Amino acid sequence: MDLSFFSMGMWSIGAGALGAAALALLLANTDVFLSKSQKATLEYLEDIDLKTLGKEPRTFKAKELWEKNGAVIMAVRRPGCFLCREEAADLSSLKPKLDELGVPLYAVVKEQIRTEVQDFQPYFKGEIFLDEKKKFYGPQRRKMMFMGFIRLGVWYNFFRARNGGFSGNLEGEGFILGGVFVVGSGKQGILLEHREKEFGDKVNPVSVLEAARKIQPQTLAMETK
């Protein structure tokens, strides 16, 4: 056997494998394989059934949240996720300014596991509701699976949140991606729709506040007609 020929063959196989791995890593860090989002319509959001989390749960249509004064709504990917807690804290930092505008801050979760929502509450300064059918995560539900753990952006988000002092756990479903909505009062429409494209892809708080300032309370909207 010609050992040099054998060595060259093995080297070629190894180089090919490394090239394929490098290409896969490169593609994983582009948006090529990301789930494509579909924008929600106001009619779609209005018809979503939500449930209160008190001792006597009440089911109601989501439009109640923004009908009079509009609303900022966070669709939480997983309450125990430290990245979600970081985003919740960012949104909660806007609460004083939102209160001045008369715009409420809400969150929806897709499941209620043990004390997960209760443990999330210190990070989020608004009322939280249950979206059992996961409608706020649609119309086209998107997932990020284990590919997320080889994305450089995700690792950057991990370190950012850790350095910010946030911690969490692994309880619950965390692959269905969340988002943030700013919805105007009545039929004013969706003023901002941020869809999480990867783990820790936070909404820009400045954009949230800018959208909230465009909300016309229902009484004012009626007066200007």
Side-chain angles (χ1 to χ4, degrees):
M1 178 184 291
D2 188 338
L3 292 179
S4 62
F5 180 78
F6 177 77
S7 299
M8 185 178 296
M10 293 301 293
W11 183 89
S12 298
I13 293 172
L18 285 174
L23 179 61
L25 184 62
L26 178 65
L27 290 174
N29 280 278
T30 67
D31 294 348
V32 173
F33 295 117
L34 294 183
S35 300
K36 304 302 179 185
S37 63
Q38 178 183 343
K39 285 189 175 296
T41 63
L42 181 63
E43 291 73 22
Y44 172 84
L45 294 182
E46 284 178 330
D47 199 44
I48 295 174
D49 289 322
L50 297 178
K51 185 180 291 185
T52 59
L53 296 175
K55 292 183 179 179
E56 297 181 3
R58 178 179 75 91
T59 299
F60 64 97
K61 293 296 182 183
K63 67 180 180 180
E64 286 187 26
L65 298 182
W66 58 80
E67 204 157 27
K68 292 183 179 179
N69 298 301
V72 175
I73 305 166
M74 177 183 181
V76 182
R77 180 166 53 80
R78 191 170 63 81
C81 169
F82 69 104
L83 296 170
C84 299
R85 291 176 173 183
E86 180 194 29
E87 183 169 31
D90 281 357
L91 288 172
S92 294
S93 71
L94 302 177
K95 187 78 164 60
K97 293 181 179 178
L98 292 174
D99 287 345
E100 288 178 11
L101 296 170
V103 177
L105 176 64
Y106 299 118
V108 297
V109 295
K110 47 182 145 59
E111 56 188 355
Q112 186 178 16
I113 300 176
R114 291 184 285 279
T115 62
E116 287 303 291
V117 174
Q118 182 182 338
D119 296 341
F120 182 69
Q121 194 73 66
Y123 304 94
F124 189 78
K125 304 305 180 185
E127 198 169 354
I128 302 174
F129 303 98
L130 180 63
D131 176 11
E132 289 181 309
K133 295 181 180 178
K134 305 178 181 65
K135 292 288 188 176
F136 262 99
Y137 304 83
Q140 183 174 317
R141 203 175 298 166
R142 300 161 305 116
K143 288 187 177 183
M144 171 160 279
M145 306 300 283
F146 296 105
M147 182 184 73
F149 297 103
I150 59 173
R151 287 181 64 85
L152 297 178
V154 171
W155 282 99
Y156 171 81
N157 296 339
F158 283 167
F159 287 118
R160 181 196 63 218
R162 287 295 185 195
N163 289 336
F166 293 92
S167 60
N169 57 54
L170 298 176
E171 294 285 341
E173 195 286 322
F175 295 121
I176 297 175
L177 297 171
V180 173
F181 300 84
V182 179
V183 187
S185 64
K187 293 293 185 180
Q188 192 179 356
I190 301 170
L191 303 177
L192 181 145
E193 181 177 351
H194 170 78
R195 296 287 185 171
E196 186 182 28
K197 76 172 187 178
E198 62 184 6
F199 302 144
D201 174 32
K202 300 189 300 178
V203 69
N204 184 339
V206 174
S207 299
V208 172
L209 204 54
E210 287 176 353
R213 289 194 175 110
K214 296 176 183 176
I215 295 175
Q216 292 183 317
Q218 189 65 8
T219 51
L220 180 59
M222 291 176 65
E223 289 173 1
T224 55
K225 287 183 179 180

